[in-house]
Amino acid sequence: VYELVESGGDSVQAGGSLKLSCEASKFTYDTLCIGWFRQAPGKEREPVAASTYYADFVKGRFTIVQDNAKNTVYLQMNSLKPEDTAMYYCAAYSGVCNQPPRRKDNSQFRAWGQGTQVTVSS
């Protein structure tokens, strides 16, 4: 059974920072890739960061960090912009870790977290 629990979402002003956490079961953490995705209202879910992959819109602002001792993947988000407002999800998937699947119905996905809301005001 693959398990993921996210936390850390909040409301911040533009230019602020947040750190999201995704705690996985040991089995999930050891056997699958874990990445961060987001979905804004009316938009498709999209990959944000995974392994060494960063979407162009977050490069230089977001950093993904893995803590092997805690089976946790963090997303440090700096210089937040209003367009970063979205529900953020972590997901476990198979395949090449720095090539996260782009469609949420891709069969590579094994589990999704419940999501954590990030709201950035101008």
Side-chain angles (χ1 to χ4, degrees):
V1 176
Y2 304 113
E3 297 179 343
L4 300 166
V5 179
E6 299 128 339
S7 61
D10 206 343
S11 296
V12 297
Q13 291 194 326
S17 297
L18 283 175
K19 186 175 183 179
L20 307 183
S21 300
C22 175
E23 184 175 358
S25 66
K26 180 170 173 55
F27 180 72
T28 301
Y29 192 86
D30 288 346
T31 60
L32 295 172
C33 308
I34 297 175
W36 285 95
F37 301 76
R38 73 184 189 186
Q39 187 166 14
K43 294 188 176 182
E44 296 291 321
R45 195 170 298 185
E46 57 186 355
V48 174
S51 182
T52 57
Y53 167 85
Y54 290 92
D56 287 343
F57 52 78
V58 303
K59 284 181 180 176
R61 301 188 298 124
F62 292 11
T63 304
I64 191 168
V65 178
Q66 295 193 199
D67 186 332
N68 296 334
K70 295 182 178 180
N71 301 327
T72 299
V73 178
Y74 301 97
L75 184 67
Q76 177 66 48
M77 305 187 295
N78 299 327
S79 302
L80 283 161
K81 304 175 181 180
E83 50 264 44
D84 293 319
T85 295
M87 185 71 79
Y88 283 72
Y89 300 88
C90 62
Y93 57 94
S94 60
V96 180
C97 290
N98 64 0
Q99 297 177 17
R102 297 194 175 275
R103 291 178 57 89
K104 68 177 181 179
D105 59 354
N106 190 298
S107 61
Q108 290 175 254
F109 287 113
R110 295 292 184 267
W112 290 90
Q114 79 282 6
T116 187
Q117 178 68 39
V118 172
T119 302
V120 185
S121 58
S122 58

